[in-house]
Amino acid sequence: VGWAFGVGSAEDDNKFIGEHGFFMDGFFDNFSLWRNWLFQGAFCASGCTIVSGAMAERTKLRGFIIFIMCMTGFIYPLVVHWVWSTRGFLNWRNDDGTYESAFGPPLIDFGGSGVVHLVGGMAALLGAMIVGPRHGRFGPEDVGQFDAHSIPFCVLGTFFLFFGWYGFNPGSTRSLHTEETAHLAAIVAVNTTLAPCVS
């Protein structure tokens, strides 16, 4: 359902939400849709992981599942349609039939940096505000005291995350079949490697 609302666009789509491709309709006519569906699903799931960290230890599993179903089934696809779809309300149609972003060339949401983190971050902020602080986690005598977590596990988790970026970022070129696209993916991989080194 989320695919159809967000990415499943056609000529007669409305500006608010997508209306085509429900339940993988048309996927056997265009096999590249399978690849895009899996890739977009991974981006959508990444937005949910942002939310899970913000509400950790304060949300029941049942409530979190309902929250995630609403987010992945409607909220996230809605923003995807607005930004990434050429038919969303943040785009307009030129006289020659081509579509252009309302923000012009400066808006390049490569690798989902804007959509994924905007939706995930806003949902995490809202969720953290709703569930509130961890009552009883810290008493008056514990002010300023915080036990460190396992440093080896933190480093290991960082390596897992870093490894995943090599799938997301170079994979966002969505092609690797020509020399030009291979060079583009290589530049993205180098930027992915260098960016954490300076931040």
Side-chain angles (χ1 to χ4, degrees):
V1 174
W3 168 268
F5 287 158
V7 187
S9 58
E11 281 298 327
D12 57 346
D13 266 352
N14 64 52
K15 291 284 189 184
F16 184 70
I17 196 165
E19 301 173 341
H20 300 277
F22 286 99
F23 305 106
M24 299 182 172
D25 182 41
F27 275 46
F28 287 101
D29 300 327
N30 182 359
F31 285 107
S32 68
L33 293 176
W34 292 101
R35 175 190 64 212
N36 292 336
W37 179 87
L38 182 65
F39 200 64
Q40 291 296 333
F43 275 121
C44 186
S46 296
C48 296
T49 61
I50 297 171
V51 178
S52 68
M55 300 189 311
E57 301 177 4
R58 291 166 290 165
T59 311
K60 288 188 175 181
L61 182 60
R62 185 181 322 144
F64 181 69
I65 289 173
I66 293 169
F67 185 86
I68 292 304
M69 287 176 67
C70 293
M71 182 175 160
T72 60
F74 183 72
I75 299 168
Y76 179 85
L78 196 67
V79 179
V80 165
H81 185 72
W82 294 349
V83 178
W84 288 340
S85 170
T86 57
R87 310 311 195 270
F89 87 90
L90 294 179
N91 300 273
W92 73 82
R93 187 174 185 165
N94 294 322
D95 294 333
D96 62 357
T98 60
Y99 289 87
E100 191 169 334
S101 170
F103 297 100
L107 176 66
I108 300 174
D109 185 31
F110 188 78
S113 57
V115 171
V116 173
H117 292 92
L118 169 74
V119 176
M122 292 303 294
L125 177 63
L126 181 64
M129 290 170 61
I130 290 171
V131 299
R134 294 180 177 98
H135 293 294
R137 173 68 171 88
F138 297 103
E141 67 280 356
D142 297 326
V143 174
Q145 178 183 354
F146 189 79
D147 295 331
H149 294 280
S150 170
I151 301 299
F153 280 140
C154 289
V155 172
L156 185 63
T158 303
F159 280 131
F160 286 152
L161 181 63
F162 196 71
F163 182 75
W165 286 334
Y166 286 107
F168 271 134
N169 296 347
S172 292
T173 60
R174 298 194 313 174
S175 58
L176 202 60
H177 60 284
T178 65
E179 187 175 349
E180 183 181 355
T181 56
H183 288 164
L184 177 61
I187 290 171
V188 173
V190 169
N191 286 339
T192 300
T193 305
L194 296 178
C197 299
V198 296
S199 63

